[in-house]
Amino acid sequence: MTIDQPPALSLQPTLNGSTESGPHENEWYRRDFGNYKVREVPLHTKRPIRLIIVGAGATGLQIAYKLQRQMDNVSFEIFEKNADVGGTWLENRYPGCTCDIPSHSYQWSFWRNPNWSKYYSGAEEIWQYLKDFAVQNDLEKHVKFNHRVQQAKWVEEDSVWEVQVQTPTGETIVSRAEMLVSCHGPLNNWKYPDIPGIDKFQGKLMHSAQWDDAIDLTGKAVAVIGGGSSAVQIIPSIQPKVGKLFPFLRSPVWITAGFGAKYAAPGGVNFEYSEEQKKAFQDPAELEKYSRDVEGELNKRFTLMHLHSEDQKVSRAYVTQDMKNKLGDDARLTKHLIPEFALGCRRMTPGSNYLQSLRQSNVEVITDSAVELTTDGIVDSTGREIKVDVVICATGFNAAKPSYDIIGRNGRSLGEHWAEGAKGYMSFMADGFPNMFYFIGPNGPSSHGSLLPIVEWLTRYMFKVITHIQRTSIKNLAPKAEAIEDAWVHTHELLKRTAWSSSCSSWFKNGKKHGPVTAIWPGSRLHWFEALEEPRYEDFEIQYEGNRFSHFGNGYTFTELSEEANAVWYFDVLERELKAGKLAFDVVQD
């Protein structure tokens, strides 16, 4: 018998008959290895994963958009307490509500808007951008509106999150998923100030985050409690129409130009885009370049935030003089309103016409604390009662505590865990809370520029972790307590040298004057992006689903199961890495 050629071999499995065809010819293999059975799947087969997303604001919508385009074998649902999408931009509609981040930075990198009307956009326009994004991409079908999450509890024996949700009818339902993605946002859990008599006031009482559009302030006596960013926008917006305005400004704050002031109008103030500019932005290349230029400007602020830097010294002197000029060198106001603490200790607050409005004839700035509300007025710390028709509380949010109960391993509450000196991992994970991603948690880049690119980067990180779990035998993971402790030590040793750690009452320090900075990343914006380029799995406590190598499967790969696959793909990797030279194994190669 003549043989011309050996038989052709195939990458694909062509097994002839059963692998269980009687006793193995090698006596050593005539046994079982415990209860282990080989999974009859190729290497890195992605197992199904389910996500529960809390919140249909900007973050939740973006995650839903990308899940459908970048992830395999993943299902999800979104619970939203409101009747519409938009989160903070749906809820915050007070007069003058404007983002202090340039419009062309406060947008998704993949969904640029050529039609922004102003350099700094108002709340309604930003909400419309998010609404259009949701509608045009059919994202609302994934959202259960008017569903308020009350509790999320980790069930160890099943390795799932069990989430209790109140429906529009008041019924409580339970949903389960391997992953909990909390996107309720830091500007969600608003609070009234703890002032005696607040329940006795018979006039109109409202919080800036729950503005009543039906109220007409014309000719009324109005008090505004709070001196942060909301108050800085509300006061000049309502001043021209009210009869008398009493801003209760207990604490000083730096009033500065907005972020990205280089591209703003002279003085760093807002401006409207011309029709010619908006027409030019219809060219994708022009829009991309302008958006990148504006975004790049936001990455240049870290040196300014160093206590003893020249940037801090020069900028502080400039802002001090600018505030004096806008206050007309009023001795009382300049002494009280211009801070002694470092520029940036509290979030720097842009305020077009804010300081000028404080000098108007119908405005009386109260520098004493509001200590009590009566039926028709406010009592300050000197005992003086001021009669008012309306009290507006621009008193911020409880950013340190989740808006619902999150219960991790061993019954541990995340709210209690983070109540004092919150410690998190990479700004959105916590020890003892497996498979949980929290947008955004302790020591995140909260004062580093636009949050939307940051949210995209966190989503990318989360997708990497979830995909790794899918492709391996990992059942769940959570950051190690010792990793968080090491990160905490580094964080605060570095933050010593920054303005954020200066002595002032700030939500960066959970409302305290002296205490740890719990809201700020210890580095520049670019530092944060690079630090989260790739997950550090050595920092995780990992539990496996049985044998940690079961995902190796039946010995085949997806390459062998595809006729069009590249069977020598590793040559391409080696070639690419050799060309990259000494940058080949750096995390960032560009």
Side-chain angles (χ1 to χ4, degrees), residues 8-35:
L9 300 180
S10 172
L11 280 175
Q12 299 185 12
T14 55
L15 299 180
N16 184 17
S18 171
T19 57
E20 305 293 338
S21 55
H24 199 285
E25 62 186 72
N26 182 334
E27 292 181 0
W28 191 87
Y29 280 102
R30 293 175 188 172
R31 57 174 170 165
D32 292 326
F33 295 89
N35 295 322

PDB file of all heavy atoms in Angstrom, residues 8-35:
ATOM      1  N   ALA A   8      -4.335  15.344   6.465  1.00  0.00           N
ATOM      2  CA  ALA A   8      -4.401  16.759   6.864  1.00  0.00           C
ATOM      3  C   ALA A   8      -4.941  16.852   8.284  1.00  0.00           C
ATOM      4  O   ALA A   8      -5.860  16.141   8.664  1.00  0.00           O
ATOM      5  CB  ALA A   8      -5.293  17.530   5.889  1.00  0.00           C
ATOM      6  N   LEU A   9      -4.340  17.750   9.043  1.00  0.00           N
ATOM      7  CA  LEU A   9      -4.787  17.961  10.420  1.00  0.00           C
ATOM      8  C   LEU A   9      -5.666  19.204  10.495  1.00  0.00           C
ATOM      9  O   LEU A   9      -5.553  20.120   9.674  1.00  0.00           O
ATOM     10  CB  LEU A   9      -3.582  18.115  11.339  1.00  0.00           C
ATOM     11  CG  LEU A   9      -2.621  16.928  11.387  1.00  0.00           C
ATOM     12  CD1 LEU A   9      -1.466  17.223  12.345  1.00  0.00           C
ATOM     13  CD2 LEU A   9      -3.346  15.655  11.809  1.00  0.00           C
ATOM     14  N   SER A  10      -6.504  19.224  11.488  1.00  0.00           N
ATOM     15  CA  SER A  10      -7.451  20.328  11.647  1.00  0.00           C
ATOM     16  C   SER A  10      -7.249  20.981  12.999  1.00  0.00           C
ATOM     17  O   SER A  10      -6.953  20.307  13.987  1.00  0.00           O
ATOM     18  CB  SER A  10      -8.885  19.817  11.527  1.00  0.00           C
ATOM     19  OG  SER A  10      -9.804  20.829  11.870  1.00  0.00           O
ATOM     20  N   LEU A  11      -7.427  22.308  13.025  1.00  0.00           N
ATOM     21  CA  LEU A  11      -7.436  22.998  14.297  1.00  0.00           C
ATOM     22  C   LEU A  11      -8.671  22.620  15.107  1.00  0.00           C
ATOM     23  O   LEU A  11      -8.651  22.587  16.325  1.00  0.00           O
ATOM     24  CB  LEU A  11      -7.441  24.519  14.084  1.00  0.00           C
ATOM     25  CG  LEU A  11      -6.110  25.200  13.763  1.00  0.00           C
ATOM     26  CD1 LEU A  11      -6.347  26.665  13.463  1.00  0.00           C
ATOM     27  CD2 LEU A  11      -5.136  25.062  14.925  1.00  0.00           C
ATOM     28  N   GLN A  12      -9.756  22.344  14.421  1.00  0.00           N
ATOM     29  CA  GLN A  12     -11.027  22.089  15.086  1.00  0.00           C
ATOM     30  C   GLN A  12     -11.082  20.669  15.632  1.00  0.00           C
ATOM     31  O   GLN A  12     -10.503  19.744  15.065  1.00  0.00           O
ATOM     32  CB  GLN A  12     -12.184  22.336  14.125  1.00  0.00           C
ATOM     33  CG  GLN A  12     -12.244  23.773  13.623  1.00  0.00           C
ATOM     34  CD  GLN A  12     -13.474  24.007  12.762  1.00  0.00           C
ATOM     35  OE1 GLN A  12     -14.364  23.187  12.719  1.00  0.00           O
ATOM     36  NE2 GLN A  12     -13.486  25.138  12.085  1.00  0.00           N
ATOM     37  N   PRO A  13     -11.801  20.479  16.727  1.00  0.00           N
ATOM     38  CA  PRO A  13     -11.905  19.143  17.332  1.00  0.00           C
ATOM     39  C   PRO A  13     -12.660  18.186  16.412  1.00  0.00           C
ATOM     40  O   PRO A  13     -13.732  18.509  15.910  1.00  0.00           O
ATOM     41  CB  PRO A  13     -12.685  19.399  18.630  1.00  0.00           C
ATOM     42  CG  PRO A  13     -13.407  20.687  18.414  1.00  0.00           C
ATOM     43  CD  PRO A  13     -12.540  21.493  17.501  1.00  0.00           C
ATOM     44  N   THR A  14     -12.054  17.016  16.166  1.00  0.00           N
ATOM     45  CA  THR A  14     -12.700  15.983  15.327  1.00  0.00           C
ATOM     46  C   THR A  14     -12.587  14.645  16.037  1.00  0.00           C
ATOM     47  O   THR A  14     -12.093  13.656  15.484  1.00  0.00           O
ATOM     48  CB  THR A  14     -12.028  15.907  13.936  1.00  0.00           C
ATOM     49  OG1 THR A  14     -10.620  15.689  14.118  1.00  0.00           O
ATOM     50  CG2 THR A  14     -12.239  17.181  13.154  1.00  0.00           C
ATOM     51  N   LEU A  15     -13.030  14.617  17.301  1.00  0.00           N
ATOM     52  CA  LEU A  15     -12.917  13.403  18.096  1.00  0.00           C
ATOM     53  C   LEU A  15     -13.801  12.312  17.514  1.00  0.00           C
ATOM     54  O   LEU A  15     -14.925  12.552  17.075  1.00  0.00           O
ATOM     55  CB  LEU A  15     -13.307  13.691  19.547  1.00  0.00           C
ATOM     56  CG  LEU A  15     -12.438  14.732  20.288  1.00  0.00           C
ATOM     57  CD1 LEU A  15     -12.937  14.909  21.703  1.00  0.00           C
ATOM     58  CD2 LEU A  15     -10.987  14.302  20.283  1.00  0.00           C
ATOM     59  N   ASN A  16     -13.276  11.100  17.501  1.00  0.00           N
ATOM     60  CA  ASN A  16     -14.002   9.967  16.937  1.00  0.00           C
ATOM     61  C   ASN A  16     -14.543   9.107  18.078  1.00  0.00           C
ATOM     62  O   ASN A  16     -13.843   8.308  18.662  1.00  0.00           O
ATOM     63  CB  ASN A  16     -13.063   9.145  16.044  1.00  0.00           C
ATOM     64  CG  ASN A  16     -13.814   8.001  15.364  1.00  0.00           C
ATOM     65  OD1 ASN A  16     -15.042   8.006  15.314  1.00  0.00           O
ATOM     66  ND2 ASN A  16     -13.063   7.042  14.853  1.00  0.00           N
ATOM     67  N   GLY A  17     -15.811   9.326  18.409  1.00  0.00           N
ATOM     68  CA  GLY A  17     -16.421   8.538  19.468  1.00  0.00           C
ATOM     69  C   GLY A  17     -16.253   9.178  20.830  1.00  0.00           C
ATOM     70  O   GLY A  17     -15.756  10.289  20.983  1.00  0.00           O
ATOM     71  N   SER A  18     -16.644   8.474  21.849  1.00  0.00           N
ATOM     72  CA  SER A  18     -16.661   8.994  23.207  1.00  0.00           C
ATOM     73  C   SER A  18     -15.270   8.968  23.823  1.00  0.00           C
ATOM     74  O   SER A  18     -14.438   8.119  23.507  1.00  0.00           O
ATOM     75  CB  SER A  18     -17.619   8.161  24.057  1.00  0.00           C
ATOM     76  OG  SER A  18     -17.495   8.516  25.420  1.00  0.00           O
ATOM     77  N   THR A  19     -15.036   9.922  24.722  1.00  0.00           N
ATOM     78  CA  THR A  19     -13.777   9.898  25.474  1.00  0.00           C
ATOM     79  C   THR A  19     -13.845   8.874  26.605  1.00  0.00           C
ATOM     80  O   THR A  19     -12.835   8.563  27.214  1.00  0.00           O
ATOM     81  CB  THR A  19     -13.501  11.288  26.069  1.00  0.00           C
ATOM     82  OG1 THR A  19     -14.608  11.673  26.897  1.00  0.00           O
ATOM     83  CG2 THR A  19     -13.315  12.317  24.964  1.00  0.00           C
ATOM     84  N   GLU A  20     -15.041   8.363  26.874  1.00  0.00           N
ATOM     85  CA  GLU A  20     -15.231   7.377  27.937  1.00  0.00           C
ATOM     86  C   GLU A  20     -15.461   6.007  27.302  1.00  0.00           C
ATOM     87  O   GLU A  20     -16.555   5.453  27.310  1.00  0.00           O
ATOM     88  CB  GLU A  20     -16.434   7.785  28.814  1.00  0.00           C
ATOM     89  CG  GLU A  20     -16.351   9.187  29.395  1.00  0.00           C
ATOM     90  CD  GLU A  20     -15.231   9.330  30.410  1.00  0.00           C
ATOM     91  OE1 GLU A  20     -14.803   8.291  30.959  1.00  0.00           O
ATOM     92  OE2 GLU A  20     -14.788  10.460  30.646  1.00  0.00           O
ATOM     93  N   SER A  21     -14.426   5.439  26.721  1.00  0.00           N
ATOM     94  CA  SER A  21     -14.587   4.185  25.950  1.00  0.00           C
ATOM     95  C   SER A  21     -14.007   2.983  26.685  1.00  0.00           C
ATOM     96  O   SER A  21     -13.450   2.077  26.082  1.00  0.00           O
ATOM     97  CB  SER A  21     -13.907   4.326  24.582  1.00  0.00           C
ATOM     98  OG  SER A  21     -12.556   4.698  24.744  1.00  0.00           O
ATOM     99  N   GLY A  22     -14.130   2.979  27.997  1.00  0.00           N
ATOM    100  CA  GLY A  22     -13.604   1.865  28.767  1.00  0.00           C
ATOM    101  C   GLY A  22     -12.420   2.274  29.611  1.00  0.00           C
ATOM    102  O   GLY A  22     -12.026   3.438  29.637  1.00  0.00           O
ATOM    103  N   PRO A  23     -11.822   1.338  30.320  1.00  0.00           N
ATOM    104  CA  PRO A  23     -10.689   1.649  31.203  1.00  0.00           C
ATOM    105  C   PRO A  23      -9.536   2.269  30.428  1.00  0.00           C
ATOM    106  O   PRO A  23      -9.242   1.873  29.292  1.00  0.00           O
ATOM    107  CB  PRO A  23     -10.298   0.294  31.782  1.00  0.00           C
ATOM    108  CG  PRO A  23     -11.520  -0.561  31.626  1.00  0.00           C
ATOM    109  CD  PRO A  23     -12.183  -0.099  30.370  1.00  0.00           C
ATOM    110  N   HIS A  24      -8.898   3.253  31.046  1.00  0.00           N
ATOM    111  CA  HIS A  24      -7.765   3.917  30.401  1.00  0.00           C
ATOM    112  C   HIS A  24      -6.609   2.926  30.286  1.00  0.00           C
ATOM    113  O   HIS A  24      -6.370   2.108  31.177  1.00  0.00           O
ATOM    114  CB  HIS A  24      -7.341   5.139  31.214  1.00  0.00           C
ATOM    115  CG  HIS A  24      -6.523   6.123  30.436  1.00  0.00           C
ATOM    116  ND1 HIS A  24      -5.210   5.907  30.114  1.00  0.00           N
ATOM    117  CD2 HIS A  24      -6.848   7.321  29.903  1.00  0.00           C
ATOM    118  CE1 HIS A  24      -4.743   6.941  29.425  1.00  0.00           C
ATOM    119  NE2 HIS A  24      -5.735   7.824  29.282  1.00  0.00           N
ATOM    120  N   GLU A  25      -5.873   2.987  29.181  1.00  0.00           N
ATOM    121  CA  GLU A  25      -4.769   2.047  28.971  1.00  0.00           C
ATOM    122  C   GLU A  25      -3.617   2.286  29.931  1.00  0.00           C
ATOM    123  O   GLU A  25      -2.813   1.402  30.192  1.00  0.00           O
ATOM    124  CB  GLU A  25      -4.277   2.154  27.537  1.00  0.00           C
ATOM    125  CG  GLU A  25      -3.719   3.521  27.162  1.00  0.00           C
ATOM    126  CD  GLU A  25      -3.389   3.615  25.690  1.00  0.00           C
ATOM    127  OE1 GLU A  25      -4.323   3.680  24.875  1.00  0.00           O
ATOM    128  OE2 GLU A  25      -2.173   3.595  25.381  1.00  0.00           O
ATOM    129  N   ASN A  26      -3.533   3.521  30.488  1.00  0.00           N
ATOM    130  CA  ASN A  26      -2.523   3.843  31.497  1.00  0.00           C
ATOM    131  C   ASN A  26      -3.157   3.663  32.867  1.00  0.00           C
ATOM    132  O   ASN A  26      -4.086   4.367  33.237  1.00  0.00           O
ATOM    133  CB  ASN A  26      -2.053   5.288  31.303  1.00  0.00           C
ATOM    134  CG  ASN A  26      -0.962   5.698  32.269  1.00  0.00           C
ATOM    135  OD1 ASN A  26      -0.843   5.155  33.366  1.00  0.00           O
ATOM    136  ND2 ASN A  26      -0.160   6.688  31.876  1.00  0.00           N
ATOM    137  N   GLU A  27      -2.659   2.684  33.606  1.00  0.00           N
ATOM    138  CA  GLU A  27      -3.274   2.351  34.875  1.00  0.00           C
ATOM    139  C   GLU A  27      -3.347   3.553  35.831  1.00  0.00           C
ATOM    140  O   GLU A  27      -4.272   3.664  36.634  1.00  0.00           O
ATOM    141  CB  GLU A  27      -2.497   1.206  35.556  1.00  0.00           C
ATOM    142  CG  GLU A  27      -2.614  -0.120  34.840  1.00  0.00           C
ATOM    143  CD  GLU A  27      -1.860  -1.217  35.571  1.00  0.00           C
ATOM    144  OE1 GLU A  27      -1.259  -0.919  36.639  1.00  0.00           O
ATOM    145  OE2 GLU A  27      -1.876  -2.359  35.081  1.00  0.00           O
ATOM    146  N   TRP A  28      -2.365   4.449  35.760  1.00  0.00           N
ATOM    147  CA  TRP A  28      -2.328   5.603  36.676  1.00  0.00           C
ATOM    148  C   TRP A  28      -3.570   6.471  36.521  1.00  0.00           C
ATOM    149  O   TRP A  28      -4.026   7.108  37.467  1.00  0.00           O
ATOM    150  CB  TRP A  28      -1.071   6.428  36.419  1.00  0.00           C
ATOM    151  CG  TRP A  28      -0.822   7.465  37.475  1.00  0.00           C
ATOM    152  CD1 TRP A  28      -0.147   7.303  38.644  1.00  0.00           C
ATOM    153  CD2 TRP A  28      -1.248   8.831  37.459  1.00  0.00           C
ATOM    154  NE1 TRP A  28      -0.120   8.457  39.367  1.00  0.00           N
ATOM    155  CE2 TRP A  28      -0.794   9.440  38.650  1.00  0.00           C
ATOM    156  CE3 TRP A  28      -1.972   9.608  36.548  1.00  0.00           C
ATOM    157  CZ2 TRP A  28      -1.028  10.764  38.952  1.00  0.00           C
ATOM    158  CZ3 TRP A  28      -2.215  10.938  36.853  1.00  0.00           C
ATOM    159  CH2 TRP A  28      -1.749  11.502  38.039  1.00  0.00           C
ATOM    160  N   TYR A  29      -4.118   6.513  35.278  1.00  0.00           N
ATOM    161  CA  TYR A  29      -5.273   7.368  34.987  1.00  0.00           C
ATOM    162  C   TYR A  29      -6.607   6.673  35.240  1.00  0.00           C
ATOM    163  O   TYR A  29      -7.657   7.240  34.952  1.00  0.00           O
ATOM    164  CB  TYR A  29      -5.212   7.881  33.546  1.00  0.00           C
ATOM    165  CG  TYR A  29      -4.276   9.053  33.389  1.00  0.00           C
ATOM    166  CD1 TYR A  29      -3.009   8.880  32.838  1.00  0.00           C
ATOM    167  CD2 TYR A  29      -4.644  10.322  33.822  1.00  0.00           C
ATOM    168  CE1 TYR A  29      -2.144   9.947  32.701  1.00  0.00           C
ATOM    169  CE2 TYR A  29      -3.784  11.400  33.699  1.00  0.00           C
ATOM    170  CZ  TYR A  29      -2.527  11.203  33.134  1.00  0.00           C
ATOM    171  OH  TYR A  29      -1.682  12.268  33.020  1.00  0.00           O
ATOM    172  N   ARG A  30      -6.580   5.459  35.759  1.00  0.00           N
ATOM    173  CA  ARG A  30      -7.846   4.767  36.015  1.00  0.00           C
ATOM    174  C   ARG A  30      -8.411   5.177  37.394  1.00  0.00           C
ATOM    175  O   ARG A  30      -8.579   4.367  38.291  1.00  0.00           O
ATOM    176  CB  ARG A  30      -7.624   3.249  35.964  1.00  0.00           C
ATOM    177  CG  ARG A  30      -7.257   2.747  34.581  1.00  0.00           C
ATOM    178  CD  ARG A  30      -6.938   1.247  34.617  1.00  0.00           C
ATOM    179  NE  ARG A  30      -6.393   0.795  33.340  1.00  0.00           N
ATOM    180  CZ  ARG A  30      -5.886  -0.428  33.137  1.00  0.00           C
ATOM    181  NH1 ARG A  30      -5.870  -1.308  34.144  1.00  0.00           N
ATOM    182  NH2 ARG A  30      -5.400  -0.745  31.969  1.00  0.00           N
ATOM    183  N   ARG A  31      -8.665   6.480  37.510  1.00  0.00           N
ATOM    184  CA  ARG A  31      -9.173   7.021  38.767  1.00  0.00           C
ATOM    185  C   ARG A  31      -9.803   8.385  38.500  1.00  0.00           C
ATOM    186  O   ARG A  31      -9.595   8.992  37.445  1.00  0.00           O
ATOM    187  CB  ARG A  31      -8.048   7.175  39.782  1.00  0.00           C
ATOM    188  CG  ARG A  31      -6.911   8.055  39.298  1.00  0.00           C
ATOM    189  CD  ARG A  31      -5.891   8.295  40.393  1.00  0.00           C
ATOM    190  NE  ARG A  31      -4.704   8.944  39.872  1.00  0.00           N
ATOM    191  CZ  ARG A  31      -3.793   9.522  40.647  1.00  0.00           C
ATOM    192  NH1 ARG A  31      -3.951   9.547  41.961  1.00  0.00           N
ATOM    193  NH2 ARG A  31      -2.723  10.078  40.118  1.00  0.00           N
ATOM    194  N   ASP A  32     -10.574   8.850  39.467  1.00  0.00           N
ATOM    195  CA  ASP A  32     -11.129  10.192  39.429  1.00  0.00           C
ATOM    196  C   ASP A  32     -10.285  11.102  40.310  1.00  0.00           C
ATOM    197  O   ASP A  32      -9.723  10.666  41.312  1.00  0.00           O
ATOM    198  CB  ASP A  32     -12.576  10.199  39.928  1.00  0.00           C
ATOM    199  CG  ASP A  32     -13.511   9.467  38.986  1.00  0.00           C
ATOM    200  OD1 ASP A  32     -13.270   9.520  37.767  1.00  0.00           O
ATOM    201  OD2 ASP A  32     -14.475   8.847  39.474  1.00  0.00           O
ATOM    202  N   PHE A  33     -10.249  12.372  39.944  1.00  0.00           N
ATOM    203  CA  PHE A  33      -9.520  13.372  40.721  1.00  0.00           C
ATOM    204  C   PHE A  33     -10.530  14.151  41.558  1.00  0.00           C
ATOM    205  O   PHE A  33     -10.956  15.250  41.205  1.00  0.00           O
ATOM    206  CB  PHE A  33      -8.710  14.282  39.800  1.00  0.00           C
ATOM    207  CG  PHE A  33      -7.618  13.545  39.065  1.00  0.00           C
ATOM    208  CD1 PHE A  33      -7.858  12.952  37.827  1.00  0.00           C
ATOM    209  CD2 PHE A  33      -6.359  13.412  39.641  1.00  0.00           C
ATOM    210  CE1 PHE A  33      -6.860  12.263  37.164  1.00  0.00           C
ATOM    211  CE2 PHE A  33      -5.352  12.718  38.980  1.00  0.00           C
ATOM    212  CZ  PHE A  33      -5.593  12.135  37.742  1.00  0.00           C
ATOM    213  N   GLY A  34     -10.920  13.497  42.641  1.00  0.00           N
ATOM    214  CA  GLY A  34     -11.977  14.063  43.474  1.00  0.00           C
ATOM    215  C   GLY A  34     -13.294  14.059  42.705  1.00  0.00           C
ATOM    216  O   GLY A  34     -13.593  13.119  41.955  1.00  0.00           O
ATOM    217  N   ASN A  35     -14.069  15.092  42.880  1.00  0.00           N
ATOM    218  CA  ASN A  35     -15.339  15.227  42.163  1.00  0.00           C
ATOM    219  C   ASN A  35     -15.210  16.108  40.931  1.00  0.00           C
ATOM    220  O   ASN A  35     -16.208  16.472  40.316  1.00  0.00           O
ATOM    221  CB  ASN A  35     -16.405  15.823  43.096  1.00  0.00           C
ATOM    222  CG  ASN A  35     -16.731  14.905  44.246  1.00  0.00           C
ATOM    223  OD1 ASN A  35     -16.787  13.691  44.069  1.00  0.00           O
ATOM    224  ND2 ASN A  35     -16.934  15.473  45.432  1.00  0.00           N
TER     225      ASN A  35
END
